[in-house]
Amino acid sequence: MTLAASAQAGTDANTAVAARIFNDIYNRHDFAAATEIYAPGFVNHGESGDIDLAVDQAATREWIAAFPDLHVTIERTI
């Protein structure tokens, strides 16, 4: 495999993981998928501070509860 092909394969894999966040968790409400998607020790470095996966997913559940018809469509990845 060439270096360019290897880089593209890595990019494709990362894009698929990012898509799972929106498709599985937000659109399908499959919160258990978070343990498959995120690494152990995950930390979300947000604007208001750092939070772990449990707090991150609690916030996601609150978004879903507040907007039950929420559906995320991925239009472009960069």
Side-chain angles (χ1 to χ4, degrees):
M1 179 180 292
T2 67
L3 183 57
S6 178
Q8 185 60 49
T11 298
D12 292 346
N14 289 340
T15 298
V17 169
R20 282 195 67 197
I21 294 167
F22 297 105
N23 291 325
D24 291 1
I25 298 172
Y26 281 90
N27 294 342
R28 294 188 190 111
H29 305 168
D30 179 6
F31 298 103
T35 59
E36 298 171 14
I37 297 169
Y38 294 100
F42 164 84
V43 176
N44 183 343
H45 302 287
E47 194 172 308
S48 60
D50 297 343
I51 58 174
D52 65 12
L53 184 58
V55 175
D56 181 82
Q57 288 302 290
T60 300
R61 289 174 191 269
E62 290 175 7
W63 277 101
I64 299 299
F67 303 99
D69 295 335
L70 176 69
H71 181 84
V72 178
T73 300
I74 300 169
E75 293 184 1
R76 183 180 326 165
T77 58
I78 54 172

